[in-house]
């Protein structure tokens, strides 16, 4: 059943929310008084469509709809979740909440505020128990973190419900258990930003140098571990205790400025703005967004390998999406009379090469993942592999029929050409819609992971594989099966 | 000619330096009074050998030697670079420098200090002009950042020399032009860490929650852009100026603690240490290092795609390594009487899958890179591709002969089976030493990138390709060429 999210405020954050919900199958109704709002949100959607679906190895559901409304009342009417993403002024937010309450009395009101306490936000509401803070991070359609904070009058059941909702759209809800201004993430970010502004103000470094001081060093650690676990490792075998003994004293040295803030004079703002423009060279903010998104997809996907951090979030989203896409089929339920759908996914941004299309190696990655899924379906899953048996690919033949680009939805269908004893001979076809992109023919051999030599699969696997192979023997044999490079079958 | 680095102090940082220099072909002499030093450094080397060489797509030079010395004098004698990595106490450092000066009067003395001013470090030296700060980041063998800082008495020529040295070992030297305590990166990190310690002390959050507040959100941004460029983007179309207008006021709100530091009582240190242990679960610091290194290799490699940040550093290191490995061959210099070496590289940590060996798709990635290198050699390089011509792979046949693991050095040799008009038919063999790992047969077609249809290559490319193809026709034809899946040739 389609769910509906209302979004009040369509700036960078509201637009990002719209994209994330819509791409996860929610209908979205949005209100923003800016006449440019629709154009700006369309630009966000365009970026998000190429980027977000590539985080998971399984396709997102069908897109929901986006409706632009000309009043708050129309946007929030009937919504079960009302996202507030208006400017960070308490008086503005209170006014918006009053309009929301006039049109919707039951939906969760989730403020995107970066730091205002939910108790202050809910103070004038008629139904204050339904207000929570759900603080996201830009770009909202890619970064998994959302901080959930309850105010004094919030019903904790809404926090639990919110955890479910945000997890279902691929996010990592972090419940901030103690209500403080700035919550957790912005406290940490703000401390760093304030210090950076001082260094600019004092002429110690430029914006570009300050960014280099992060991006080539600590930032690469922070993408996977926070500052605590990072320093736990920097302490060597003694861990955090050794680190505190070593660097604790430095914390008392004047290594940072006081908590004062540089006066944001026009001159200072211009200087910082100029430095940011210089740093970005010929790249506009829109160009930079594309760069950033491609990098983020690459970074998050790289964390999938170890099932770590944001990569683990994406993988657990896969598990939900596999069900939605009907890819969680048990061996006994496989229909041996037709090709088996073993993959439904979207080409990630970082899979494209200098020729402007999906790189050849990524075809094999997608086919390899389809093979893994088929193995899982017939019982050769991670539990089985942990017992010491698996399949190794001995040979592969790929034919590239047509090109495909980032953001395209691709499906793989699989036919068993032979399944007998240790051998599994597979035929994959990759499509975008009805357009055939590529075929792959693989010979796999079952092995013992201990001896690394061929061995027989379990009886259950052999039974399942044999049944499919026998059924598929009745299907037309693919014309190109058995072909060699350069020879048309 | 082999260069020699002396390293005084063999802890986490000194060991990391030893690994980075040694893996880049430098001989390393090391002094540390800890009787466990050699064991600890061997553990670092083991991690580094698997991790660092995978950042580049071209193999590092032959390893240098490591010599453990029992005096500072023996370690530093004759070294052109003397790395100091002893505890952060000025009196200890001064004592060490006196011993260094007694045995070496010409080498650059590069302190790894995290924040002590070089003017204070050099104050008692006889030759103070040769002291610089070269501040690295843990793990030193993977993170490219090194902050270079001159003291009042430092000869700036040594800073320039240091930039060359650190670039040659794959690092990103950041010259901190104004000498301040904590330099740039640690000022920013320290501001964040101090705030984190307050949040722990005040019982607002646990170490794990604080780390989640970074790693699932801002940290993913910081791996590629610093805080300035990140906020430049968060400002939407108005960039940093809009961001300062929007969030500048919040900087004056009490969103962070004052600059005081929580008292590091035994109880507090124990609490933080316990939380870090809990967060890491069953993983020891050593296990976590492996996780971190695999993630870092994946993150940095993901940034190679857009030639961005730490990925750009790794790519520019490639360019240096290609020369060292003799892979920068011009078309006219290619010997058509033998197979052509098109790749020398190391299997990256993140290329290994659940079967414990290099994933099948990574074989095609390595073969695809070898094809790219061969294209470049015959003149189909990035400049040519920018004019609108390129080769697309039409078909691929891979045979997996043997397994290979992370950290292994692999080479690819290439034979042209056909090079005629639009067609290029290649045969690759992948080896670890003399062990054949896999073969790949590719049919490529020259295309126009505008029409996406087959087209003739430039005259220069056709001439080069034809000459190699004619020469290679006299080589024995690979037995398995032309084979199809499941059929032994």
């Amino acid at each position: 059943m389609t769910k509906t999210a209302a979004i009040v405020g369509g700036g960078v954050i509201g637009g990002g929310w719209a994209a994330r919900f819509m791409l996860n199958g929610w209908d979205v109704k949005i209100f923003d008084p800016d006449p440019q709002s629709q154009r700006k949100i369309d630009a966000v959607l365009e970026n998000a469509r190429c980027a977000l679906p590539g985080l998971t190895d399984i396709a997102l559901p069908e897109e929901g709809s986006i409706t632009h409304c000309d009043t708050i009342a129309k946007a929030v009417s009937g919504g079960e979740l009302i996202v507030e993403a208006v400017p960070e002024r308490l008086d503005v937010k209170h006014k918006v909440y009053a309009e929301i309450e006039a049109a919707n009395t039951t939906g969760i009101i989730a403020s995107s505020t970066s730091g205002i306490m939910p108790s202050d936000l809910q103070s004038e509401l008629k139904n204050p128990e339904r207000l929570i803070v759900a603080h996201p991070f830009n770009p909202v359609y890619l970064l998994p973190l959302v901080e959930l904070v309850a105010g004094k009058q919030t019903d904790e059941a809404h926090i639990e419900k919110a955890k479910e909702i945000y997890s279902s759209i691929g996010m990592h809800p972090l419940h901030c258990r103690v209500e403080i201004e700035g919550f957790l993430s912005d406290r940490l970010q703000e401390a760093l930003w304030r210090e950076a502004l001082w260094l600019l103000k004092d002429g110690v470094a430029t914006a570009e140098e300050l960014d280099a001081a992060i991006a080539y060093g600590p930032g690469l650690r922070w993408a996977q571990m926070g500052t605590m676990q990072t320093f736990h490792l920097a302490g060597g075998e003694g861990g955090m205790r050794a680190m505190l003994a070593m660097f604790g004293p430095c914390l008392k040295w004047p290594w940072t400025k006081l908590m004062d803030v540089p006066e944001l004079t026009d001159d200072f703002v211009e200087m910082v703005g100029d430095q940011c423009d210089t740093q970005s060279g010929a790249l506009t903010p829109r160009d930079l967004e594309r760069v950033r998104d491609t990098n983020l997809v690459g970074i998050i996907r790289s964390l999938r390998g170890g099932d770590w951090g944001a990569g683990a979030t994406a993988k657990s989203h896969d598990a939900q999406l596999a069900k939605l896409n009907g890819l969680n089929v048990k061996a006994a339920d496989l229909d041996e009379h037709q090709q088996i759908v073993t993959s439904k996914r979207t080409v990630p941004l970082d899979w494209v090469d200098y020729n402007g299309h999906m790189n050849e190696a990524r075809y094999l990655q997608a086919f390899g993942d389809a093979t893994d899924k088929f193995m899982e379906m017939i019982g050769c899953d991670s539990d089985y592999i942990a017992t010491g048996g698996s399949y190794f690919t001995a040979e592969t033949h790929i034919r590239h029929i047509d090109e495909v680009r980032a953001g395209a939805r691709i499906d793989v269908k699989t036919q068993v050409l032979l399944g007998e004893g240790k051998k599994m001979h597979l035929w994959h076809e990759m499509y975008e819609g009805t357009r055939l992109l590529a075929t792959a023919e693989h010979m796999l051999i079952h092995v013992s992971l201990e001896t690394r030599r061929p061995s027989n699969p379990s009886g259950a696997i052999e039974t399942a594989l044999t049944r499919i192979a026998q059924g598929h023997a009745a299907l037309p044999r693919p014309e190109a099966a058995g072909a060699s490079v350069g020879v048309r079958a």
Side-chain angles (χ1 to χ4, degrees), chain A:
Chain A
M1 193 194 66
T2 304
K3 295 170 175 178
T4 301
I7 295 175
V8 181
V12 172
I13 296 299
W17 276 126
R20 188 179 271 277
F21 278 105
M22 187 272 274
L23 291 171
N24 276 285
W26 286 56
D27 287 334
V28 170
K29 295 196 292 179
I30 191 158
F31 168 78
D32 191 289
D34 179 357
Q36 298 287 314
S37 165
Q38 186 162 348
R39 177 186 68 78
K40 288 181 183 174
I41 287 172
D42 285 348
V44 175
L45 286 180
E46 194 191 332
N47 280 356
R49 267 197 194 98
C50 284
L52 174 65
L55 289 187
T56 52
D57 281 353
I58 299 177
L60 296 176
E62 288 294 304
E63 284 186 8
S65 63
I66 295 240
T67 310
H68 293 268
C69 303
D70 57 6
T71 63
I72 289 181
K74 285 183 193 161
V76 306
S77 157
E80 60 196 285
L81 181 73
I82 300 153
V83 174
E84 172 266 298
V86 304
E88 294 289 37
R89 284 177 43 196
L90 196 54
D91 56 338
V92 173
K93 289 187 194 272
H94 280 168
K95 194 167 156 293
V96 164
Y97 298 153
E99 288 195 54
I100 290 170
E101 285 212 300
N104 180 314
T105 55
T106 56
I108 295 178
I109 301 176
S111 174
S112 307
T113 180
S114 298
I116 301 175
M117 302 227 278
S119 292
D120 294 334
L121 296 173
Q122 69 195 170
S123 62
E124 297 183 3
L125 281 174
K126 286 189 202 117
N127 299 110
E129 75 287 347
R130 62 176 171 144
L131 185 134
I132 64 168
V133 163
H135 173 221
F137 294 79
N138 184 49
V140 180
Y141 51 84
L142 283 182
L143 295 186
L145 184 63
V146 55
E147 291 180 312
L148 301 181
V149 197
K152 290 196 189 77
Q153 302 183 73
T154 301
D155 179 350
E156 285 286 336
H158 290 315
I159 294 284
E160 294 310 312
K161 174 73 184 162
K163 282 184 193 171
E164 274 172 37
I165 289 175
Y166 296 108
S167 295
S168 78
I169 58 171
M171 299 184 82
H172 181 87
L174 174 63
H175 184 188
C176 303
R177 295 169 291 104
V178 178
E179 186 188 15
I180 53 168
E181 285 168 305
F183 321 132
L184 299 179
S185 186
D186 277 356
R187 290 231 156 198
L188 302 172
Q189 285 198 84
E190 181 121 343
L192 191 153
W193 195 32
R194 181 180 289 118
E195 187 65 25
L197 290 173
W198 267 122
L199 292 166
L200 289 170
K201 177 77 175 176
D202 291 349
V204 170
T206 64
E208 183 161 6
E209 289 164 347
L210 289 175
D211 281 357
I214 296 297
Y216 292 88
L220 297 165
R221 304 190 294 215
W222 284 330
Q224 49 167 318
M225 295 177 184
T227 199
M228 301 308 298
Q229 198 161 41
T230 293
F231 287 167
H232 188 48
L233 284 187
E237 293 178 3
M240 176 56 79
R241 290 170 181 84
M243 186 68 190
L244 282 169
M246 206 162 16
F247 285 99
C250 308
L251 283 166
K252 301 217 172 184
W253 300 350
W255 280 14
T256 54
K257 278 274 182 174
L258 289 173
M259 131 112 201
D260 310 334
V261 194
E263 199 63 40
L264 296 182
T265 62
D266 289 351
D267 282 354
F268 181 54
V269 169
E270 270 312 294
M271 184 193 90
V272 175
D274 281 350
Q275 288 191 2
C276 287
D277 290 341
T278 305
Q279 173 178 14
S280 303
L283 298 176
T284 66
R286 285 272 173 251
D287 296 332
L288 273 174
E289 280 174 4
R290 285 289 180 121
V291 169
R292 175 201 63 192
D293 287 359
T294 305
N295 288 341
L296 282 175
V297 170
I299 290 166
I300 295 173
R301 289 193 59 85
S302 78
L303 294 172
R304 292 177 56 99
D307 202 13
W308 191 264
T313 307
K315 286 190 84 162
S316 77
H317 200 193
D318 273 11
Q320 301 172 54
L321 294 169
K323 278 186 215 164
L324 275 179
N325 280 286
L327 289 171
N328 271 359
V329 187
K330 297 258 175 260
D333 299 328
L334 287 171
D335 178 357
E336 76 269 28
H337 302 301
Q338 54 184 355
Q339 290 185 334
I340 294 162
V341 176
T342 47
S343 181
K344 297 184 180 186
R345 68 190 300 161
T346 304
V347 179
L349 271 178
D350 65 322
W351 282 21
V352 170
D353 67 16
Y354 58 84
N355 283 326
H357 57 207
M358 182 159 88
N359 180 263
E360 58 183 316
R362 302 304 189 168
Y363 280 83
L364 184 47
Q365 187 167 344
F367 283 130
D369 287 349
T371 298
D372 285 351
K373 176 55 80 176
F374 180 73
M375 282 164 54
E376 188 188 308
M377 287 171 170
I378 60 171
C380 185
D381 56 13
S382 54
D383 287 345
Y384 175 82
I385 292 169
T387 68
S390 189
Y391 281 94
F392 285 1
T393 303
E395 254 184 302
T396 289
H397 179 217
I398 299 174
R399 295 181 314 140
H400 297 275
I401 316 289
D402 208 343
E403 300 180 86
V404 67
R405 290 165 194 263
R409 157 76 180 269
I410 54 177
D411 300 332
V412 177
K413 292 181 186 173
T414 301
Q415 181 171 341
V416 179
L417 299 180
L418 178 74
E420 203 176 82
K422 307 171 179 73
K423 286 188 179 175
M424 179 162 73
H425 189 171
L426 298 182
W427 174 262
H428 295 306
E429 292 169 4
M430 183 190 295
Y431 293 89
E432 184 193 10
T434 57
R435 193 165 67 95
L436 181 63
L437 301 173
T439 66
E441 186 180 353
H442 299 286
M443 180 63 77
L444 293 105
I445 307 294
H446 189 277
V447 296
S448 152
L449 288 173
E450 193 190 334
T451 64
R452 317 301 281 185
R453 309 295 310 161
S455 70
N456 284 315
S458 71
I461 290 174
E462 192 164 9
T463 302
L465 181 60
T466 304
R467 180 174 69 82
I468 311 297
Q470 286 170 354
H472 281 189
L475 299 177
R477 189 174 173 87
E479 275 183 25
S484 56
V485 170
V487 178
R488 294 283 149 238

